[in-house]
Amino acid sequence: MVEFIKSILYGIVEGITEWLPVSSTGHLILTQGVWPFSGDVSSNFSDMFNYVIQLGAIFAVIVLFWNKLWPFKMPDKGAKILSVDTGVFKKDQWVLWFKVLVATLPSAAAIVLDSKIESVMYLENGQPRDIGLIVISIALVVYGIAFIVVEKLNKNRQFKVSATADITYKTALLIGLFQVLAVVPGTSRSGATIIGALIIGVSRPVASEFSFFMAIPTMFGVSALKIVQFLSESSFSPKEIGILAVGMVVSFLVSMLCIKKLMQYVKKHDFAVFGYYRIVVGLAVLAYFTLR
């Protein structure tokens, strides 16, 4: 029962921090450092859990932005379904998906780097080494400062890209290159992509929305890889399946609320507040290691 309560807590943390530029993985690791899974689950379950739980958050994006993402529509009555002339395909949605895929190419190429970093940062049971927690703390502080600096430079700036449809393939690729920075735990995938988009000249709402869309293929790919790796070494127990399912459902529900609130927030405010939050959390963890 206790492990399910932990899964609910982790789901809440994931659902909030996946979409805010504060590093969901970093917060999950810090939370589990305080209250980790016990021996009731297998030793390599925790690492896999931290990635696969993100699928719940991803489904929230799919549900909320369904009309913008679904590339098909019902054909006219009596028309041939496979005929392009019937208007079955939504051109704008297909173009958006191609741009998203272009943006995720750099991360796909850097996936081998991710595994090497994990071997240095984590123990075999998925718990972070001290060096891992220190790196997360430093990344929180560094990118917190970056958000503050970028937003100060963007004050009163007129952004060149004010709609998702205005993102070019070149812009999408450049944002994707920034996403590669997220291989370092504590950076934040959404944080890296949003900072990159803001620097390039993409407005805050559009930067947030495109970051959400980029998460779909990225997180599905990473989650699939983690599940394959986990199953190659062990198998799910019924309890582990239940723990993972609970975490995903909670992260989905919390993400639904968080995404709505964030999109409302960025229409009127900048991201500087998240920069200050990152600095406070990062310094607090560094202080813990200094005083321990």
Side-chain angles (χ1 to χ4, degrees):
M1 183 63 184
V2 175
E3 302 309 306
F4 286 95
I5 295 175
K6 292 177 185 178
S7 183
I8 292 172
L9 173 62
Y10 301 158
I12 294 172
V13 172
E14 165 62 25
I16 295 174
T17 59
E18 179 63 43
W19 310 114
L20 304 183
V22 296
S23 178
S24 62
T25 302
H27 277 72
L28 278 173
I29 291 171
L30 292 175
T31 303
Q32 292 173 354
V34 176
W35 202 23
F37 280 125
S38 69
D40 291 341
V41 298
S42 60
S43 60
N44 58 348
F45 176 80
S46 180
D47 177 58
M48 181 276 302
F49 176 92
N50 288 346
Y51 288 92
V52 179
I53 191 179
Q54 296 174 343
L55 290 180
I58 296 303
F59 279 116
V61 173
I62 296 173
V63 171
L64 289 173
F65 294 95
W66 180 262
N67 290 333
K68 286 190 174 183
L69 294 171
W70 184 244
F72 303 101
K73 61 182 179 181
M74 293 298 293
D76 297 332
K77 187 176 181 180
K80 294 181 179 180
I81 294 179
L82 296 180
S83 173
V84 177
D85 297 333
T86 62
V88 174
F89 303 101
K90 296 180 181 179
K91 180 181 177 181
D92 292 342
Q93 279 79 352
W94 279 104
V95 171
L96 173 61
W97 273 113
F98 284 131
K99 291 177 181 176
V100 168
L101 291 176
V102 167
T104 56
L105 288 177
S107 292
I111 198 166
V112 65
L113 182 62
D114 183 63
S115 61
K116 292 183 180 297
I117 291 176
E118 283 188 2
S119 65
V120 175
M121 299 277 286
Y122 305 108
L123 299 170
E124 291 183 358
N125 63 359
Q127 292 301 305
R129 305 176 190 271
D130 283 357
I131 183 62
L133 293 174
I134 292 173
V135 168
I136 290 172
S137 303
I138 293 174
L140 284 169
V141 173
V142 169
Y143 285 94
I145 295 172
F147 263 111
I148 295 170
V149 172
V150 169
E151 286 295 21
K152 284 187 179 297
L153 294 175
N154 282 340
K155 191 174 183 180
N156 301 321
R157 178 185 182 183
Q158 294 296 318
F159 292 99
K160 296 182 294 183
V161 180
S162 56
T164 306
D166 296 332
I167 292 178
T168 63
Y169 285 100
K170 178 181 177 181
T171 300
L173 181 59
L174 290 174
I175 295 174
L177 290 173
F178 277 93
Q179 183 172 244
V180 175
L181 297 172
V183 298
V184 178
T187 298
S188 171
R189 187 203 59 79
S190 61
T193 54
I194 289 172
I195 283 181
L198 292 176
I199 292 173
I200 294 168
V202 180
S203 68
R204 297 179 187 93
V206 175
S208 301
E209 191 173 282
F210 193 68
S211 177
F212 297 161
F213 299 161
M214 288 174 63
I216 297 174
T218 300
M219 291 298 98
F220 269 112
V222 171
S223 296
L225 178 62
K226 292 296 180 181
I227 290 175
V228 170
Q229 289 177 342
F230 176 80
L231 293 177
S232 68
E233 300 171 0
S234 58
S235 60
F236 287 104
S237 69
K239 183 175 183 178
E240 288 174 342
I241 293 174
I243 291 171
L244 184 59
V246 167
M248 289 176 61
V249 170
V250 172
S251 69
F252 168 79
L253 295 175
V254 175
S255 290
M256 291 284 286
L257 177 61
C258 186
I259 291 172
K260 290 179 181 179
K261 294 296 183 182
L262 179 62
M263 293 306 296
Q264 294 172 359
Y265 178 86
V266 296
K267 289 178 181 179
K268 298 180 180 179
H269 306 86
D270 62 26
F271 287 99
V273 65
F274 300 111
Y276 290 110
Y277 170 82
R278 291 178 62 109
I279 292 172
V280 170
V281 174
L283 291 178
V285 178
L286 286 175
Y288 165 78
F289 279 98
T290 301
L291 300 173
R292 188 175 59 172

